[in-house]
Amino acid sequence: YGNVKNKTLKEYMKSMDKSFAYKLFDLIDERGMTDYAVAKETGIPASTLSDWKRGVYVPKLDKIAKICKLFCITIEEIAEI
């Protein structure tokens, strides 16, 4: 997980805030995908993706890794660390 290993989980989660929500929304939109399609590919419920996109919740690292794998990006890119 690159730089994430060098940070505490608390520091990492603070860096996520709304920037993750915006980045996720953009990734899904840029790829022309739906929340349902992302959910099907990652095993993450579409309702959870919607909560993340609205900034209601910040996902755990294992879920972020699934999103990153789907979109072929690093955790640093999605978290803008």
Side-chain angles (χ1 to χ4, degrees), residues 11 14 21-22 25 35-36 38-39 45 48 61 67 69-71 73 78:
E11 290 171 332
K14 281 183 180 179
Y22 296 128
F25 184 87
D35 288 356
Y36 176 78
V38 174
T48 300
L61 197 53
I67 296 292
K69 184 176 179 181
L70 175 65
F71 292 114
I73 63 172
I78 201 165

Side-chain angles (χ1 to χ4, degrees), residues 32-65:
M33 298 181 78
T34 63
D35 288 356
Y36 176 78
V38 174
K40 188 173 180 180
E41 291 292 322
T42 61
I44 299 167
S47 60
T48 300
L49 291 168
S50 177
D51 286 344
W52 294 345
K53 286 170 45 179
R54 289 182 291 124
V56 176
Y57 301 107
V58 176
K60 293 183 181 179
L61 197 53
D62 65 318
K63 303 294 191 251
I64 295 170

Side-chain angles (χ1 to χ4, degrees), residues 8-19 58:
T8 67
L9 185 57
K10 186 176 179 181
E11 290 171 332
Y12 172 72
M13 295 309 279
K14 281 183 180 179
S15 72
M16 292 295 288
D17 62 29
K18 293 282 185 183
S19 65
V58 176

Side-chain angles (χ1 to χ4, degrees), residues 68-79:
C68 290
K69 184 176 179 181
L70 175 65
F71 292 114
C72 300
I73 63 172
T74 65
I75 288 176
E76 291 83 5
E77 289 172 307
I78 201 165

